[in-house]
Amino acid sequence: MKKIFGLVLALAIISGGMVFAGGSSDTAASAGDGLITVGYAQVGAESDWRTANTESFRSTFVEENGYRLIFDDAQQKQENQIKTIRNFIQQDVDYIVVAPVVETGWETVLGEAKAAGIPVILSDRQMKLSDESLYLCWVGGDFLKEGRDAVDWLNNYLKENGRENEKLNVVLLQGTIGSSAQVGRTQGITEGLAKNPNYTLLAKQTGEFTQAKGQEVMESFLKAYDDIDVVFAENDNMAFGAIDAIKAAGKVPGKDVIIISFDAVREAFNRIIAGEINCAVECNPLHGPRVDEIIKTLEAGGTVEKIQYVKEEVFDAKNAADRLPTRAY
Ligand code: AHR
């Protein structure tokens, strides 16, 4: 299906919000099979969340649904994603979907996509761009809100357990530095902690969103500080690594150390039920159908919102067991 994005994409301002109208049409100039070719520049395979996200795209962008998917795993490297996007441009795909590793440094390659008339949809993480017209729209989670929700949960938990006057030492396992998931969550967490003088943030360091690195960094925190009360892990896999480190140090995760993580994958539910994780703030990875809907709307000549936040919840010992049986990832 041949794109005519450069010709038909019309930018409109509707009630203060930006929306785009347009899309691809005509099957004649491409493979001629009527399929829409979508190139997905994925971050990597660093976490359970990412695996669920990849599966969501792979199972949605199938021939029976009208698509040909070209998938690429950037192994958490921005330079790989830039090469991939150039590759997609060369292949003259109809749409480029990017889950950007980090927020900055995309202007040149997105300018090339724009010049080639290929619409770019951002999914999951955001980009910081000097020119917002370089992408069509974005769909994903509100990382800043997730960080704030995590601290709100801690405040309520302490109150409910009569511990609101306790002085608590906190460590923070951060995601990939410069990714919008890290930037938003770190901001929400650190600003929330700073509001309460009972909290002391002892240290923060990246665990790269992986279990192995999360464990390694937690081990170093435990060596440096013998009185850690709370761990914020900016994803579940780093929390799983931290749990192993805490156990190896002879402490009980979830009891001696309060553990708060992000994503809320099925294994995190198991850990909540087992008492090892106290709270998991949801980050929903099932963006395949959402991007499908965006493309179908555009193909039908419709308009889409520029920024689309996904609704997300908070899970703990009160609701995890009830929700686990229907958990999709
Ligand atoms: O961008 C979403 C984050 O990326 C998820 O929290 C994490 O697990 C993934 O690697």
Side-chain angles (χ1 to χ4, degrees):
M1 187 160 288
K2 183 72 184 160
K3 66 206 163 291
I4 53 168
F5 173 71
L7 294 173
V8 303
L9 183 69
L11 174 62
I13 312 287
I14 292 181
S15 60
M18 304 269 274
V19 298
F20 280 92
S24 62
S25 67
D26 179 24
T27 59
S30 64
D33 53 12
L35 296 175
I36 299 168
T37 304
V38 173
Y40 183 31
Q42 173 62 291
V43 170
E46 71 283 4
S47 62
D48 292 7
W49 187 101
R50 192 62 57 193
T51 304
N53 179 256
T54 291
E55 174 51 27
S56 175
F57 276 83
R58 283 199 187 282
S59 58
T60 303
F61 290 89
V62 291
E63 286 195 16
E64 305 79 70
N65 195 21
Y67 293 105
R68 181 185 305 103
L69 177 68
I70 309 175
F71 177 87
D72 186 83
D73 172 340
Q75 299 182 331
Q76 296 227 69
K77 291 197 175 76
Q78 181 180 32
E79 64 263 33
N80 289 348
Q81 280 195 315
I82 290 174
K83 272 187 215 147
T84 295
I85 294 169
R86 292 207 165 108
N87 204 325
F88 291 159
I89 295 169
Q90 270 192 341
Q91 293 187 63
D92 199 23
V93 300
D94 295 304
Y95 292 86
I96 293 173
V97 182
V98 190
V101 175
V102 290
E103 289 186 323
T104 56
W106 299 100
E107 273 84 358
T108 304
V109 74
L110 290 202
E112 292 165 25
K114 190 178 177 184
I118 301 175
V120 173
I121 296 170
L122 305 183
S123 168
D124 168 28
R125 300 176 185 174
Q126 294 199 1
M127 291 181 185
K128 245 189 210 152
L129 294 163
S130 50
D131 176 1
E132 294 292 308
S133 78
L134 290 174
Y135 71 101
L136 188 72
C137 64
W138 166 86
V139 61
D142 186 339
F143 301 119
L144 177 61
K145 179 177 182 301
E146 291 172 12
R148 288 176 175 155
D149 286 349
V151 179
D152 286 348
W153 180 89
L154 178 63
N155 293 338
N156 289 334
Y157 174 81
L158 294 172
K159 235 180 245 156
E160 282 171 15
N161 288 280
R163 297 176 61 184
E164 68 269 37
N165 296 321
E166 258 181 53
K167 302 256 180 229
L168 295 174
N169 290 326
V170 180
V171 293
L172 169 56
L173 290 166
Q174 296 171 287
T176 303
I177 299 298
S179 67
S180 64
Q182 175 274 316
V183 172
R185 287 173 190 162
T186 297
Q187 187 186 336
I189 294 165
T190 53
E191 286 179 357
L193 292 176
K195 286 183 190 153
N196 186 337
N198 282 341
Y199 298 140
T200 302
L201 181 58
L202 296 173
K204 58 180 176 10
Q205 193 179 321
T206 183
E208 301 289 357
F209 283 130
T210 71
Q211 186 156 341
K213 190 82 180 149
Q215 180 171 349
E216 189 186 307
V217 175
M218 191 64 210
E219 281 164 2
S220 72
F221 284 163
L222 286 160
K223 273 186 198 135
Y225 308 100
D226 57 10
D227 52 354
I228 297 170
D229 302 298
V230 182
V231 177
F232 285 89
E234 287 181 0
N235 82 346
D236 287 335
N237 287 82
M238 292 192 295
F240 304 153
I243 286 168
D244 290 343
I246 290 165
K247 284 180 181 168
K251 299 191 178 193
V252 182
K255 290 202 172 65
D256 298 336
V257 185
I258 296 170
I259 305 204
I260 301 164
S261 75
F262 296 82
D263 288 353
V265 297
R266 284 183 71 84
E267 181 56 17
F269 276 68
N270 291 329
R271 304 292 185 117
I272 292 173
I273 293 162
E276 293 183 343
I277 287 181
N278 302 81
C279 167
V281 178
E282 183 174 42
C283 178
N284 191 305
L286 307 180
H287 298 318
R290 297 182 181 114
V291 174
D292 171 34
E293 197 186 317
I294 287 167
I295 292 176
K296 295 259 168 73
T297 302
L298 294 168
E299 291 292 314
T303 60
V304 297
E305 290 293 326
K306 180 95 178 171
I307 299 291
Q308 303 184 27
Y309 286 110
V310 167
K311 191 177 166 290
E312 293 167 331
E313 297 179 66
V314 176
F315 300 100
D316 62 11
K318 290 180 189 153
N319 56 1
D322 282 350
R323 299 294 294 279
L324 177 60
T326 53
R327 196 74 188 148
Y329 54 92

